[in-house]
Every structure is written in structure tokens, then in C-alpha cells.
Amino acid sequence: MTNNVFLAASICLFLLVTNSFAQKDDLPLHLFSYDKTVPLALTDSVIGHEDNVAIHRISFASPVADRVNGLLFVPSGKGPFAGILLQHGAPGTAMNQTPRGVYVARHGAVVVAISAPFAERSGQAIQLTPADSVEQVTYMINLQRAVDLLLSRPDVDPTRLGYVGRSHGGAMGGLLAGIESRLKTYILAVPDGGLISHFTIASGEPADQLPIPVEQRKRWLAAMMPIEPIRFIHRATSATLFIQSARQDEAVSTFASEQLHKAAPAGTVVKWYDAGHRLNSQSYVDQLSWFHDKLGTTAPGPADQNGPNFPPPATKP
């Protein structure tokens, strides 16, 4: 079978499976179960303060791996606060989430950002081998443990929990929404349907973006298909969803975005932005407004209009 024929077949299979699973619940949910009695064994140290937000470096035990590393952002005051998971893209780590964490936390939320498993090792974030599926399952379990961490804090209101993730973190939020019922709302910024969607689907036509041998591709697709986020997002009926997509997105095609929108449960709010994959300042203001409406955090004000205080891009010498 030629590469293009195989890829076309895989895309057809992908669309067939995602459409069929929109009506079914025979999904491998057992993969995301974990021993909830494992102690968090949390380590926590304050590493700075910004805009009345304390920034903590944290680490806690994973039931299926070693340690989960990340950042914790705690606003001043006594609370109770909302609790929000904040997830990075690929490649990336929790450690570069400080501008976004502070931006959200100063509105009355304890924010947890953890590093994805791929951020804890060397090499490419996505390996295009079945190891990616192992890491994705581990990631979901670690995110559920991050919810456990939020719920263990007396300054967090357990009825006001949310999630915001961008790019890969947005796609993973679609998967988490299908398996984690304790969060009240999810914001998925510039997501696609998952790694298969990202690497094999462009404008609805075959797009050979997997420069690997055919047999390796078959093994990778077989490992990733069962846990592709687009297959799970329809189960997110106990939470509200806000999906932010970009019309000039250079990383996520309009077709891939629309496939995820179609798979999402009824009532999902979708907003398109005239922007690229990085979105724009309005998208961040909209996130604050969404959390204000759904979780009771404070509304965005004049100081929020430019978005998070990202450092300027590095200049070439």
C-alpha cells in the first residue's frame, strides 16, 4: 500500500471511528483509572510574587509514573477561590506558564500548571511511536491528580473548578473533559481533535505529514486511535465548554477545528478569531470573562486588555 493510499485510508478510518463513537460509550475509560489512595506527597516552595499572586514551584507523586512537576499560583486573600488547571502546548512546560498563571490567578483563582510527561524527558515532544499513547494516558492521570490537589486545598471552592489549555493543552482538555466530571467548565484554545488529527488531517484531504515508515505509522495510529480526544469530548455533558479557534491558524486547520466542534456536546460555545495560532489579546480577555461567568472570578478590567504579560520574543543577533 502506498503512503498516500494508506494515509487516505487512515483518514477515512479516523472520521468513521470518531463519528461512530459520538453515539457510543464503549471507550477504553479503564485506561484512565488510578489508585486514589496514593498520597500526593506534595512538595511546595514559594519562588516569587507578582501582582499580588504568590508563585510556587510544586511537585507531587504520580500513581503511574514518578513525580509531576509544575507551578502553583495563589492569589492574596483568604478565599475560597476558584480552582483552575492551566495547560501548555507542545513543546512546552509548566515552567513557562507564569504570565498566563498570574493573569488568571489575580482574578481570584488558585491555578495549577503541570508539565506534560514529554516535558520531563529529552527528545521530541511527539515521538510518533506507541510511547506517545503511554504518555498521553499518564498525562490524563496526572491531570486528575492535579484536580485532587486543588480539592485538597482549604482555600479552593470544590464547586468552582475549571480548565484552560491551548494548542496541545487544548486538545488534551477535550480528552480530560470526557473522563473527568469534577470540573465545571473547560476552555479549549486553538485545539484540534488530537495527535492523529494534527498529523494526518489538513483541509480534509490526505496530507503526508508523517515522515516515518508505513509499518511504524500503522503501529502509531493503532496505539493513538483509542485515546484520540475527539472520540471522548461528547461525554463532557456535566461541564460547559468554550472552544476558541483561529481563522488564520498555521498549526490547526479549519477542517480539523470544525471536526472537533461537531464532536463536542450540544451547548458548546465556539468563537472564531481573526488571528493565528497564538490568538490575540481579546481571546485572553474572553477567557477571563468566561471564568467570571462560570466560576465567579472577578471580571476583566482595563489592566487586562493587553492579555498576559508575555516576555518579548527573542531577537536574532
Side-chain angles (χ1 to χ4, degrees), residues 6 54 106 113 133 142 207-208 285 298 304:
F6 174 76
R106 71 189 186 202
S133 65
N142 291 349
D208 194 355
V285 175
T298 60
D304 301 304

Side-chain angles (χ1 to χ4, degrees), residues 14 126 128-137 168 172 175 194-196 217-229 231-232:
F14 172 77
I126 310 303
L128 298 177
T129 73
D132 291 331
S133 65
V134 175
E135 290 191 336
Q136 188 163 300
V137 170
H168 181 269
M172 293 303 103
L175 176 52
L195 291 179
I196 293 177
R217 185 179 301 158
K218 289 179 180 178
R219 290 191 296 271
W220 184 77
L221 287 169
M224 298 306 299
M225 185 71 76
I227 57 171
E228 184 78 348
R231 299 178 63 198
F232 289 77

Side-chain angles (χ1 to χ4, degrees), residues 10 14 34-35 45 56 65 73 75 84 102 107 127 181 222 236 258:
S10 69
F14 172 77
Y34 65 99
D35 185 354
S45 60
H56 302 235
F73 303 87
I84 294 174
V102 170
H107 288 271
Q127 303 171 89
S181 62
E258 290 175 341

Side-chain angles (χ1 to χ4, degrees), residues 66-177:
D66 186 11
R67 304 284 296 177
V68 182
N69 298 306
L71 295 175
L72 175 73
F73 303 87
V74 183
S76 60
K78 295 182 179 179
F81 303 111
I84 294 174
L85 300 184
L86 167 66
Q87 287 312 118
H88 61 83
T93 74
M95 303 310 155
N96 58 23
Q97 297 304 297
T98 294
R100 296 176 67 210
V102 170
Y103 185 76
V104 174
R106 71 189 186 202
H107 288 271
V110 172
V111 177
V112 174
I114 66 170
S115 288
F118 61 69
E120 303 287 1
R121 57 168 173 77
S122 60
Q124 295 293 319
I126 310 303
Q127 303 171 89
L128 298 177
T129 73
D132 291 331
S133 65
V134 175
E135 290 191 336
Q136 188 163 300
V137 170
T138 298
Y139 197 7
M140 289 302 106
I141 292 173
N142 291 349
L143 284 170
Q144 291 177 84
R145 285 297 270 173
V147 178
D148 295 342
L149 171 60
L150 284 172
L151 291 173
S152 74
R153 295 183 59 90
D155 59 350
V156 170
D157 182 345
T159 68
R160 294 193 292 140
L161 302 182
Y163 179 99
V164 56
R166 62 163 281 108
S167 192
H168 181 269
M172 293 303 103
L175 176 52
L176 186 68

